[in-house]
Amino acid sequence: MNEKLTSMRNSIEKFLRARYPWDSFKDFAAHQAQKPLPPHVSWWHTFGSLALFLLANQIVTGLLLMAYYRPTSDHAFESIRFIQTEVPAGWLIRGLHAWGAALMICMLILHMIRVFVMGGYKKPRELTWVTGVLLLGVTVTFGFTGYLLPWNQLSYWATTVGTEVARAVPFVGNDIALMLRGGEGVSGETLGRFYVLHVAVLPWAIVGLVSIHLFLMRLQNLATLERVGEEQDIPPHHAVPFFPEHVLKELSVFTVFLGFLLALVIFSPPELGEPADPFNTPVGIKPEWYFLSTYQMLKYFPKTIGIFTSMIPPLILVLLPFIDRSLERHPKRRPLAMTLGALALVGALALGIVGKISETHIRFFGKPYEVDLYGRWTPEEGSAPAADTTVSRAENRTGSAP
Ligand code: HEM
């Protein structure tokens, strides 16, 4: 058997060598596998590959879902219900896709924080960072367009609110909203457009950007913690071999993470809620968690000022390597950058939490409070209805995807 396999392999190699620079390909692959990584490379450096793993999960499960999903306002909800309840393992595939999307965004945020803390965005890796920020934007757009596809009450009204924001852009706002929706309101036309973006446009964008991102990362290798311009060659006895050391580390993280993902799907499957009803607006509709901080921030500003203010954080993120030009990479020698980064993170988290609890009734140390649009708490007379304690009424009525 072994001999047969070896002779088959030799024949394939002979065939390829006669037609292509086969030995150059082999040398290239061997060089990539043996590339030494800096000594500080650790488990923190597996977030990027976990994002890649989740991207693969999204592609595979997304293709399987496409076999049964129907992107029309008459059939979308029913086709998801069919996938969830009738198709063999359909619940698993849908669960992996829905939870995978949420976890991929978490992973990108963790990866970005890791790169920020270790100064990996500094010269000469500015463009790796810029492609990374674009990847985050594309991933979030995947989330936004995918959210509408089940065509339930929550997704319908969250998209109505989300696309309404575009109207605040001066002069062209109405045209942008019209283009996104394909009409005055969210309709089957919008569903068709979001579906095309989700399955035909964004996949090309993400695959292209990931290829550039990984190519740049491999070309320049991972950053060390030395000052910019003072990097020494990695001494062979200190280097971490990419293969097998780092690859095995990545594989073990993938295995544990797959278990975690499966547990989420089994113990907390994404709900479907009620079909979209354009004539019945639920109370306290909320966007997905990764839009909550922007959504809350927009409430504190007049519309047009709000839209421009909400563009500042992504702009700072893209331009970060060109704004922060200090030569230090080690976090201990960058106290200002670390403090500002931590403040930005805490601010975004706080806004997100206020966004989540705004327009709900909550209980705090046993006492009921009503939280208004801006996050102000007012003690309630008597006790609030049990169903309204932690989540918005709209979510209770319609169910929420992760
Ligand atoms: C689908 C999205 C992404 C994938 C698949 C991905 C993948 C990776 C991988 C595998 C690495 C090497 C290992 C590691 O550092 O974890 C890496 C490095 C890097 N990534 Fe990403 N990444 C993505 C998004 C991002 C984002 C959102 C940012 C930042 C905004 C970013 C910035 C960087 C930078 C600057 C490096 C080089 C870091 C260094 O040299 O220390 N990436 N990426």
Side-chain angles (χ1 to χ4, degrees), residues 45-49 51-52 104 108 111-112 114-115 120-121 125 128-129 132-133 135-136 210 213-214 217 221-223:
H45 290 76
T46 54
F47 291 145
S49 25
L52 200 59
M104 184 165 165
L108 289 188
H111 174 52
M112 197 167 76
R114 196 294 286 160
V115 173
Y121 56 90
R125 295 176 184 76
T128 318
W129 174 269
V133 179
L135 276 167
L136 185 62
V210 165
H213 190 72
L214 295 182
M217 184 269 294
N221 206 345
L222 288 174

Side-chain angles (χ1 to χ4, degrees), residues 350-369:
L351 269 175
I353 293 170
V354 176
K356 178 76 186 164
I357 62 171
S358 67
E359 296 178 271
T360 60
H361 298 273
I362 62 164
R363 271 184 182 279
F364 194 65
F365 285 106
K367 282 193 179 164
Y369 293 87

Side-chain angles (χ1 to χ4, degrees), residues 121 125-136 209 213 216 317-322:
Y121 56 90
R125 295 176 184 76
E126 297 95 327
L127 293 184
T128 318
W129 174 269
V130 172
T131 53
V133 179
L134 295 179
L135 276 167
L136 185 62
L209 280 169
H213 190 72
L216 292 177
L317 216 55
V318 180
L319 297 178
L320 180 69
F322 309 101

Side-chain angles (χ1 to χ4, degrees), residues 153-195:
Q153 271 289 69
L154 195 63
S155 70
Y156 179 90
W157 288 101
T159 307
T160 303
V161 174
T163 47
E164 192 62 33
V165 172
R167 283 197 200 277
V169 179
F171 311 115
V172 289
N174 278 340
D175 294 326
I176 297 176
L178 201 68
M179 195 174 75
L180 283 172
R181 290 177 170 177
E184 273 308 313
V186 172
S187 65
E189 197 65 42
T190 323
L191 181 62
R193 287 172 187 220
F194 275 36
Y195 182 68

